[in-house]
Structures are given as structure tokens and as C-alpha cells.
Amino acid sequence: MTDRAIIVGASSGIGEALVRELADAGYEVGLAARRTERLKAIGASLPTKAYVATMDVTDTDDARRGFRELADAMGDVSLVVLSAGVGHVNHDLEWEPERETIDVNVRGFTALATAAIEYFESRPSADGHLVGLSSVAAIFGNGGAPAYNASKAFVSTYLEGLRHRQASRETEVTITTVEPGFVDTAMAMGDDDELFWMASPETAAAQIARAIRRERDHVYVTRRWRLVAWLLKAMPEPVVRRLVS
């Protein structure tokens, strides 16, 4: 039986790298993002069958319809990865960057997470695997990017809630939270000399694929960020503020 996966946010960064990682592992993949021509180019370069869907996650009703149409066109999807996200450094608290971050990272994410769960529960086997990309930023507030860190805290907590929900249901849906540290993508914030432990998208994708195979509940990418997360959680807020401001 052929494995099939949908990756939302597949046109660049971790999403694109994960598309290639999964295709190399034999998955047929559905690519969803706003940049249609970029998706088509990626799909044409893959060793397995690819499907393309233009999707703007901020248009939540249309995105949910598009997700279901893509899943139905693919036949039987067992894995959904929600990788779409934006982030802005916004010290002046301008409204537009905050609004966009909330629209994409909170509203768009939730619209598609619920669509994925509904799809899995409608399958004859009533199972599946949902992977959501959060961030190590979820564990602390950031005065320079308050909406971004808060939105990732929402993603992590929402996925935890979905795991609690699934524990009391008959369906077998695995929920995996991915919390990357610094990954060399357009969303990396800060000066290059400040971004220690920077991973390539390919390294991140390989570790996420391993977590998918092992059906992990939670994974840091790269794994050394587990220590950073533990230290940040243990530190008093004034100390964290000095470190991240």
C-alpha cells in the first residue's frame, strides 16, 4: 500500500525539505501553499507522484475546502504536516505584522488541524498522523516578536489538547508536536552571528521524518534544543527577558 502525505507550507524551508524527504522514502505527496508555480516545480522534481493545491491558509473556509479536495483527489492520506507559518520582528507593535501572524499561525493552523482530524475520523480505518510545526519560541515571551512566540505557544498547546482528545476516542490518530530551534530559513530571526546551533532545512526534515516513523508525541529539532528548552523553562522570567530581549 502506498503511503500518502499532505504538507501545507510546502513551497520553501522545512516544508519543502520534508516533501523531498518523504518522497525519497516512497510517499506520494500533496503540496499546498500559495505559490502555485513553485509547488509545480517542486512536484515535477520528485521521484514519486505529486499533487498540487494552491492554498492561502488565512482564507480559512477556502483552505478547509481545498484541503478536503486535495485529500479526496489523492485517494487515502495517512499523514498531514502543517508547516505553514510566518514570523516578524515587530518592536514597534505595528498592527499588520501582528495580524498576519495570528491569521496564519493561529487561525490558519487551527482551521487545517481540525480539517485533518475530521478527515482522519472519516476514513474507514479511522486513523492517521497529524504533525504540527511549532517552535522552541513557544516556551517564552519575546518583546521583539510577541505575536510569533505567542502563536507558537498556541500551536503547541493546541496539539497537546488534540492528544488528550484522541486518548479518549476509539480512533487511532497520532499527534506530533515539532519544536525547532534555529533553522536556516527565511523565518530565522536575528543576526547570523547570533543564531547558534543553526540547522539546515534538510537536517530538520530528516529528524522530523524520524519522529514520524517512530510516532513520537513531541520532538525538538535539532535534539540538542531539548536542553535549551529545559534551561529556559527553569529560569526566572527576568533572566529569560535579559537573554532574549
Side-chain angles (χ1 to χ4, degrees), residues 161-171 173:
L162 292 182
R163 279 193 293 275
H164 293 334
R165 176 183 182 273
Q166 291 308 127
S168 63
R169 301 178 75 86
E170 295 182 359
T171 54
V173 179

Side-chain angles (χ1 to χ4, degrees), residues 11-226:
S11 61
S12 63
I14 296 174
E16 178 185 350
L18 188 56
V19 164
R20 299 186 185 281
E21 181 79 21
L22 293 175
D24 286 344
Y27 278 82
E28 292 185 359
V29 290
L31 291 73
R34 290 181 297 179
R35 294 185 290 169
T36 309
E37 293 307 314
R38 175 62 182 160
L39 295 178
K40 289 179 178 178
I42 295 170
S45 70
L46 300 177
T48 56
K49 188 172 183 179
Y51 302 76
V52 169
T54 304
M55 184 180 295
D56 180 354
V57 300
T58 65
D59 186 344
T60 54
D61 289 341
D62 186 66
R64 284 172 58 85
R65 282 193 298 270
F67 170 85
R68 189 59 190 242
E69 290 170 1
L70 176 59
D72 288 344
M74 293 179 68
D76 190 28
V77 174
S78 61
L79 171 65
V80 174
V81 180
L82 302 183
S83 181
V86 298
H88 301 283
V89 176
N90 189 22
H91 291 283
D92 294 332
L93 289 182
E94 297 177 0
W95 168 236
E96 183 57 27
E98 303 294 273
R99 182 201 62 77
E100 182 186 23
T101 301
I102 293 166
D103 281 350
V104 174
N105 297 2
V106 177
R107 294 179 62 252
F109 165 81
T110 308
L112 290 171
T114 53
I117 295 295
E118 290 170 8
Y119 171 77
F120 289 143
E121 292 182 345
S122 72
R123 298 173 74 213
S125 59
D127 62 5
H129 193 160
L130 172 64
V131 178
L133 264 70
S134 179
S135 170
V136 172
I139 65 177
F140 61 91
N142 187 337
Y148 177 77
N149 288 48
S151 71
K152 291 305 182 179
F154 175 90
V155 169
S156 291
T157 305
Y158 196 86
L159 291 169
E160 182 180 1
L162 292 182
R163 279 193 293 275
H164 293 334
R165 176 183 182 273
Q166 291 308 127
S168 63
R169 301 178 75 86
E170 295 182 359
T171 54
E172 295 289 338
V173 179
T174 302
I175 312 290
T176 299
T177 304
V178 179
E179 293 187 339
F182 292 132
V183 179
D184 190 10
T185 70
M187 285 186 60
M189 299 181 188
D191 299 327
D192 289 343
D193 58 356
E194 297 175 347
L195 301 185
F196 61 100
W197 287 352
M198 177 79 80
S200 69
E202 292 73 22
T203 296
Q207 293 195 10
I208 294 168
R210 184 183 303 117
I212 291 170
R213 291 193 299 271
R214 296 178 178 178
E215 297 187 341
R216 294 278 302 278
D217 287 345
H218 181 278
V219 62
Y220 291 106
V221 175
T222 58
R223 286 169 289 182
R224 66 188 70 182
W225 282 93
R226 182 188 301 110

